[in-house]
Amino acid sequence: MIDFQQNEGQAILSLPLWEGISDPQNALLSLLPEEKSYPKGARILTAGERCKKVGALLAGSAAIVKEDEGGNPATVAKLEKGSMFAEAFAFSGEPLAVSVYASSACRVLWLDGNKIAANGALAANALKIFSRKNIFLTERVEHLSKHTLRGKVLSYLTTVRRKTGKNTFSVPFNRQGLADYLGCDRSALSLVLSKLKAEGVLDWHKNTFRLLP
């Protein structure tokens, strides 16, 4: 039984799936919840398999990984506490196109996808979550479509500036995470950022950036 007064229970109730739901505890129980722990490096989901459940990360972090024909992995997205994943595949019945790995020791709450789809309010919330992710992926495709790494960096930072409405802002990636997001080598990214800084295009410190006139 989940203790909703404890940190883990509070993490569950803070999931965006319950937005506008008057009794999230009963809604949760109707979805046949199952909690599972994974050690760092464990494969949570495997590309090619079918998943009928939606995952919610209650603790730790994970990575959504796309592997090429040679088995070389590329991180598509990072999952932090409160993130939901696999909903598109659980609802569509299609086999997974990506794998999910535990970046650190983590706990996942699994929810029955069919029961979410059968509940109008929960299905609407799930659609919102999926739509936000689709926007995220669309933006990433736009950045990656730039022909140079310089163009990719500036495309991404300009998008963040537009969303925040500020010339100085923080990004949710460290240097390696940003390199993974832009599909490049970390050293190449650092070189481009140093050049842009030297040219007076932008200033930065760790994950905080300032685009200059």
Side-chain angles (χ1 to χ4, degrees), residues 66-157:
K66 178 73 174 179
E67 295 156 330
D68 62 20
E69 295 178 353
N72 301 307
T75 300
V76 175
K78 303 277 187 162
L79 298 173
E80 303 295 341
K81 179 179 176 180
S83 299
M84 298 188 68
F85 59 97
E87 62 270 30
F89 300 101
F91 298 151
S92 68
E94 293 294 316
L96 290 161
V98 294
S99 297
V100 180
Y101 291 90
S103 302
S104 66
C106 60
R107 286 186 64 78
V108 175
L109 177 71
W110 294 105
L111 305 171
D112 190 297
N114 288 331
K115 292 189 178 297
I116 293 176
N119 182 306
L122 293 179
N125 285 343
L127 179 59
K128 289 180 184 178
I129 295 169
F130 178 70
S131 297
R132 290 170 190 148
K133 288 185 179 181
N134 190 51
I135 292 172
F136 172 85
L137 293 175
T138 300
E139 289 176 344
R140 186 172 186 236
V141 169
E142 179 182 351
H143 306 325
L144 294 180
S145 69
K146 306 304 179 185
H147 296 300
T148 65
L149 180 53
R150 178 191 180 99
K152 294 174 184 178
V153 169
L154 291 177
S155 176
Y156 171 67
L157 295 179

Side-chain angles (χ1 to χ4, degrees), residues 12-30:
I12 293 173
L13 295 181
S14 67
L15 294 173
L17 186 63
W18 317 120
E19 183 179 339
I21 303 298
S22 59
D23 191 347
Q25 294 187 23
N26 280 337
L28 168 66
L29 296 177
S30 73

Side-chain angles (χ1 to χ4, degrees), residues 6 16 21 92 95 105 108 111 113 130 136-137 140 150 162 173 176 184-185 197-198 201-202 207:
Q6 298 300 316
I21 303 298
S92 68
V108 175
L111 305 171
F130 178 70
F136 172 85
L137 293 175
R140 186 172 186 236
R150 178 191 180 99
R162 173 176 54 80
F173 299 109
Q176 183 60 58
C184 67
D185 181 77
K197 189 173 187 178
V201 177
L202 59 81
N207 68 328

